[in-house]
Amino acid sequence: MKEKGKMMLCLVILVVLLGILILVRWINREEESDDTAETAGVEVTDAEEDKVTGFSFQIDGQEVSFTKTDDTWTYDQDTEFPLNQTSVGTAVGKIIQLGAEQELEDDSLKLSDYGLDTPTNVVTFTDDSGTTKLTIGNENATTGIWYLYLNDDTGKIYLVDQSFDTMFPDSIMSWAEGATLPSITADNITKIQVENGDDDYQLTAEAEDETASWTVTDASGFSHEGDAEQISTLTSTLSSLSYAGMEAYNCEDMAQYGLAEPAAAVRVHYTEEQTADDSEEETTVTVEKDLVLLIGSQNEEGNYYVTTEGSKEVHTMTESTVSSILDASASDYWSLSVSPVTVTEIRSMDVTYNGQTNTIVRNTSETTDEDGDTTQTITYTWNGNEVDKTEASTLYSAAVSMTAQSKAPDLEKNSEDELVLVMHTDDGDYTVSFSPYDSSFYYTVDLEGVPSLVNKNNVSSLIDAYLTVIGEK
């Protein structure tokens, strides 16, 4: 019994001691909490936007300030500066309604622990109650929380979940509201001139029914049919041009941007539909317009300085956009087509291969039934005998669809013709010849006299189609 009593007494003492330990730890935690005053959802600033009349922050350690008069903000250091009202208004709205995740309050807090001894920014705003200052320290790289203190109260540090690094611009020009490039529809572009030294070229659209054909003219004045797909890519680029940033709004020294004597110019002629007010009704008129983009030097990031003709604003444009225009030459926009006609235009075709010439004739006839409906019949003949329509049609299609892999004025013929096609049409005769160039290509000349290289496999397929029609394959 005595031993059981002793065990019970020990158990009671153990429970009491455990309770005391828990109580002490709870008291210590409460005291620690009181010392640091860590609370959630703390109000830092709470001002009314319509009562705010002043605002400032720092860019590279220099203060920039703004004053609001009659609901319009101006930049104090340059009252003529074209300040973007939305940019400054958004920043002000965030600063005057600022909340903290936590608040640390202790006279022993070290500012250096929070980057507040050398602030990343000092922000102020002024309203009818006076000026409020926020000193911003470092960002916690792990949590994304920023540290700041209010006015001169360094004994209270706020932990704020706010992107102060992106709230303010790196350059005041980021808050400039300059002119924008005109909105151009790609299909409305009718002429493009690129002036780039020896690589000048011009693209001109000629309307045909509902589509447009393009002519490419180089610096020497030589013109060539344009490639619709390649030119479509260029017109899409030009219709979506945009500035990357703004450098100057009233530049008096264009030379510092390489724009006193621009390295290149891009001239875009386009049409625009506008509404004309008439006394009786509203009408739409087509207006001819021009965009002239002048291109200067490049900045450290590689972007180009640009301006438009007659403007004092200097903007930047991405290197990739400008290079896609300037790095091209006239020949890049040439049509790669070799044949000048379509199948329906050909009446007959002479094919010379291995010294032998054969003529394949395309015959068309029409019949009209008792209801007046007309039916067209197409047949092909060789040496007066009808040949397989599918085989002959394949030959004709292969001949007119031949395209070059590349075209260049300096290419030279280096062997005799192996295959010669003479296409007879109502508008005249067109000759296309093919001679071996190397192991991969045949040499030919297009209708406009430009030397071209055609894939060897395509020529081989054309020869096979011909031999099939005359029964030699």
Side-chain angles (χ1 to χ4, degrees):
M1 288 292 292
K2 289 183 179 181
E3 289 184 0
K4 288 185 178 180
K6 288 180 180 180
M7 288 181 64
M8 286 296 295
L9 179 61
C10 289
L11 183 60
V12 170
I13 293 172
L14 181 61
V15 171
V16 171
L17 290 174
L18 182 61
I20 293 172
L21 178 61
I22 293 173
L23 178 61
V24 170
R25 294 187 64 180
W26 179 82
I27 292 174
N28 287 338
R29 186 181 303 165
E30 286 297 304
E31 289 177 350
E32 183 179 296
S33 177
D34 289 340
D35 288 340
T36 59
E38 298 183 5
T39 58
V42 180
E43 177 186 287
V44 180
T45 59
D46 184 23
E48 297 180 31
E49 189 168 355
D50 59 355
K51 292 183 179 180
V52 177
T53 57
F55 179 55
S56 75
F57 55 87
Q58 294 179 350
I59 297 179
D60 293 331
Q62 299 297 314
E63 182 183 78
V64 293
S65 59
F66 310 85
T67 300
K68 186 173 70 173
T69 305
D70 296 330
D71 293 328
T72 300
W73 287 98
T74 56
Y75 176 41
D76 294 341
Q77 284 71 39
D78 182 358
T79 56
E80 298 299 318
F81 184 81
L83 183 63
N84 187 304
Q85 298 294 309
T86 300
S87 297
V88 65
T90 299
V92 169
K94 292 179 179 179
I95 287 296
I96 65 174
Q97 292 287 328
L98 203 59
E101 298 294 307
Q102 289 181 307
E103 173 188 305
L104 307 179
E105 187 172 8
D106 191 333
D107 291 337
S108 65
L109 291 172
K110 293 183 179 179
L111 297 183
S112 59
D113 291 341
Y114 307 95
L116 290 164
D117 55 334
T118 54
T120 57
N121 213 326
V122 177
V123 183
T124 71
F125 67 86
T126 302
D127 59 8
D128 55 358
S129 64
T131 297
T132 301
K133 181 175 71 172
L134 295 88
T135 302
I136 303 170
N138 290 337
E139 178 189 20
N140 186 306
T142 302
T143 63
I145 295 294
W146 288 78
Y147 305 107
L148 66 85
Y149 66 82
L150 203 59
N151 298 317
D152 295 320
D153 187 1
T154 58
K156 185 183 294 185
I157 295 176
Y158 297 96
L159 281 64
V160 179
D161 185 9
Q162 185 62 259
S163 300
F164 290 117
D165 55 336
T166 58
M167 184 182 297
F168 308 109
D170 295 329
S171 165
I172 192 60
M173 293 308 302
S174 296
W175 276 13
E177 187 170 39
T180 57
L181 290 167
S183 177
I184 302 176
T185 302
D187 291 341
N188 291 347
I189 296 175
T190 58
K191 182 185 289 186
I192 303 165
Q193 290 176 267
V194 177
E195 301 169 5
N196 188 24
D198 294 336
D199 290 327
D200 290 3
Y201 61 87
Q202 176 178 297
L203 312 178
T204 307
E206 299 175 4
E208 293 184 357
D209 299 325
E210 296 182 357
T211 61
S213 62
W214 288 86
T215 299
V216 183
T217 306
D218 63 19
S220 70
F222 175 77
S223 295
H224 193 283
E225 178 188 357
D227 182 88
E229 185 174 346
Q230 291 295 328
I231 295 175
S232 176
T233 299
L234 177 60
T235 57
S236 295
T237 297
L238 294 173
S239 67
S240 59
L241 288 177
S242 62
Y243 295 130
M246 188 171 179
E247 289 295 320
Y249 76 93
N250 188 25
C251 184
E252 298 294 341
D253 181 18
M254 288 291 188
Q256 63 181 309
Y257 302 106
L259 290 166
E261 296 180 4
V266 180
R267 301 177 186 274
V268 182
H269 186 75
Y270 63 100
T271 60
E272 183 177 276
E273 300 295 318
Q274 293 184 353
T275 301
D277 292 328
D278 191 280
S279 57
E280 297 182 356
E281 60 180 351
E282 201 175 74
T283 58
T284 301
V285 296
T286 301
V287 180
E288 304 278 336
K289 290 198 167 187
D290 290 285
L291 166 66
V292 181
L293 184 70
L294 305 178
I295 301 170
S297 54
Q298 292 177 272
N299 62 15
E300 293 180 354
E301 289 75 34
N303 293 333
Y304 283 86
Y305 295 115
V306 299
T307 189
T308 54
E309 194 171 57
S311 173
K312 286 190 173 183
E313 293 185 358
V314 178
H315 299 261
T316 56
M317 189 170 286
T318 62
E319 188 273 340
S320 59
T321 298
V322 175
S323 294
S324 69
I325 302 171
L326 298 187
D327 288 353
S329 60
S331 60
D332 292 318
Y333 296 105
W334 286 349
S335 168
L336 293 177
S337 175
V338 171
S339 172
V341 295
T342 62
V343 169
T344 56
E345 294 176 292
I346 303 175
R347 290 186 287 103
S348 64
M349 182 167 62
D350 300 335
V351 182
T352 301
Y353 177 67
N354 284 341
Q356 179 184 5
T357 300
N358 285 289
T359 300
I360 293 88
V361 181
R362 184 176 183 272
N363 308 284
T364 60
S365 61
E366 293 183 351
T367 57
T368 304
D369 60 21
E370 58 185 14
D371 296 325
D373 296 327
T374 301
T375 302
Q376 186 182 69
T377 302
I378 299 173
T379 60
Y380 292 87
T381 57
W382 167 56
N383 286 342
N385 299 313
E386 186 172 338
V387 295
D388 185 274
K389 179 180 177 180
T390 300
E391 294 174 352
S393 177
T394 299
L395 169 62
Y396 267 60
S397 296
V400 301
S401 63
M402 188 70 70
T403 57
Q405 193 90 3
S406 62
K407 294 184 177 184
D410 56 351
L411 288 172
E412 295 183 0
K413 184 177 181 179
N414 57 21
S415 64
E416 296 298 318
D417 292 335
E418 182 177 313
L419 176 69
V420 179
L421 307 178
V422 180
M423 305 174 192
H424 302 284
T425 75
D426 291 336
D427 294 328
D429 298 336
Y430 301 95
T431 302
V432 182
S433 59
F434 302 90
S435 61
Y437 184 78
D438 58 22
S439 60
S440 301
F441 297 101
Y442 274 76
Y443 173 95
T444 188
V445 176
D446 68 14
L447 182 65
E448 292 165 287
V450 178
S452 311
L453 293 182
V454 177
N455 189 292
K456 181 179 180 179
N457 292 333
N458 294 338
V459 177
S460 296
S461 296
L462 176 59
I463 294 173
D464 287 345
Y466 163 67
L467 294 176
T468 299
V469 169
I470 65 174
E472 294 187 10
K473 187 175 179 64

